[in-house]
Amino acid sequence: MDLYLKARKLAQERAQQIIDGIKPDEYFVENDECKETIYLLSDPEQRTILLKKFDQNEKQKAVASLRSYIRWKRRRRIIRNGSKIAAILVLVIGIAITFYSPSPTNLQTREPDGYLTPGKPQATLILANGQEIKLDRELELKEKNTAIQNKKSGEVVYTPDSGNVEIQQYNTIKVPRYGEYSVVLSDGSRIKLNSESELRYPVVFTGEQREVYLKGEAYMEISKDQKPFIVHAYDTRIKVYGTSFDVNSYNPDEIRIVLVQGKVGIHHSKMQEVILYPNQLARVSEKEGIAVKENINVNYYIAWQEGYFAFEEERLEDIMTTLSRWYRMEAIFENPQLKDIRFTASVQKEEDISKLLNQFELTRTVSFNIIKNQIFIK
């Protein structure tokens, strides 16, 4: 059978497999015909011949579909609308490159050890007295009748005793670039901080409200309690009613809140409270106020805390900014117009960044040249 027809057949089969939720490694490794096709596609000449068999219209569909062919859902890929077969055919070629090429096909790379490495759990804990503790090992300590335990898994846990605490004291956890960390507060709420983020919070909650202060990004799972939970992100105040949500305040001029479950009320300056419901996104700014978008796929916004990066029709500049917080790299656009190209993609955070870049290169709209920790985009 002609390689082009084999690849299309494989793409059709893979489309159904993705819809059925079967992982790539389960499918591509167990199917002999599939392995043979992928092996043939690992040959650059064969890939060139194959791509030439696309008519111009189908090429355009493939490029457009690569920007939007995946609706990412909870560690599973699901095919989105558009030219499914054309998009997955490009995916098949990408998988062949990944399986059989010692390095990405098109990337010009000189990558010595220590560059472009992914991040890891790391943070600094600042106690009420100002003492700073680097959370790089297991440890236990006590503050205000509360046990503080740091775990190897990258999580610090607060466990209060039964005694009353009259004076509220604060701790701060700071996560540097290339890091992430979780904290379980004294009320059982769990908060995961993204890189370049910090959270200020009471050792033990007292008074009529539970209040924390966020800079950067955090995914929060708030325990239900009669006392309301308030998140302060610069001038934005989020009142939580026992829920799971993501707050992104990297840009203080535009705070983004995505609600997974439950309900939150958003306040900003003198604006009236806006209630956010599941699968809704709010953007908060001084200029535009509180703008709500409904029926979003929340998984794109919370993927980072589950070990993935997921992007839906995002600008390349924004994608590279996100990646630069996790990988030890700097993105340099040689052609500024490329900043506005949009892509849809997902990748595991522990994977080599070049695998994702190589998928972008398959669209033939952009190329990457890696030198040490710098990625030149042209």
Side-chain angles (χ1 to χ4, degrees), residues 57-73:
N57 181 51
E58 193 166 8
K59 281 183 183 178
Q60 293 295 330
K61 287 181 181 178
V63 171
S65 296
L66 190 60
R67 297 176 184 169
S68 62
Y69 75 88
I70 290 177
R71 184 183 297 276
W72 191 92
K73 183 176 182 182

Side-chain angles (χ1 to χ4, degrees), residues 97-123:
I97 293 169
T98 301
F99 276 21
Y100 290 99
S101 298
S103 60
T105 315
N106 299 321
L107 290 180
Q108 302 175 41
T109 175
R110 287 178 284 167
E111 183 185 328
D113 293 339
Y115 294 109
L116 303 182
T117 54
K120 62 181 181 180
Q122 54 181 320

Side-chain angles (χ1 to χ4, degrees), residues 316 320 331-335 338 366-368 375-378:
L316 183 57
M320 299 307 292
I332 300 172
F333 284 84
E334 296 186 355
N335 180 354
L338 297 177
V366 65
S367 63
F368 303 90
I375 300 178
F376 294 88
I377 304 166
K378 58 184 179 179

Side-chain angles (χ1 to χ4, degrees), residues 14-27 73 75-79:
R14 181 59 191 134
Q16 187 58 50
Q17 295 286 347
I18 292 176
I19 291 170
D20 293 341
I22 297 178
K23 297 178 181 178
D25 55 354
E26 294 175 0
Y27 179 67
K73 183 176 182 182
R75 301 192 177 196
R76 198 168 67 171
R77 291 185 172 98
I78 300 174
I79 296 303

Side-chain angles (χ1 to χ4, degrees), residues 316-375:
L316 183 57
E317 181 182 30
D318 296 333
I319 291 174
M320 299 307 292
T321 297
T322 296
L323 296 176
S324 69
R325 292 193 182 104
W326 182 248
Y327 294 96
R328 298 179 183 276
M329 52 79 86
E330 175 189 8
I332 300 172
F333 284 84
E334 296 186 355
N335 180 354
Q337 293 182 339
L338 297 177
K339 293 179 179 181
D340 293 322
I341 296 178
R342 294 183 180 272
F343 290 100
T344 293
S346 65
V347 64
Q348 293 186 21
K349 292 171 71 173
E350 69 268 18
E351 285 188 353
D352 189 325
I353 191 176
S354 60
K355 291 183 180 180
L356 179 62
L357 302 184
N358 190 69
Q359 295 300 311
F360 293 161
E361 284 198 336
L362 287 173
T363 67
R364 301 186 179 185
T365 59
V366 65
S367 63
F368 303 90
N369 181 22
I370 300 175
I371 301 177
K372 293 185 177 181
N373 70 325
Q374 294 182 318
I375 300 178

Side-chain angles (χ1 to χ4, degrees), residues 12-13 47 57 66 80 97 106 117 136 144 150 161 177 181 185 196 222 235 276 282 286 292 298 302 313 323 347 363:
Q12 288 174 320
E13 291 174 354
R47 287 199 302 275
N57 181 51
L66 190 60
R80 205 181 171 201
I97 293 169
N106 299 321
T117 54
D136 57 358
K144 274 294 172 185
N150 186 54
D161 62 19
R177 200 175 185 89
Y181 224 79
L185 303 178
E196 291 190 307
I222 305 304
D235 293 331
L276 205 63
E286 202 67 46
V292 176
V298 299
I302 66 172
E313 281 294 298
L323 296 176
V347 64
T363 67

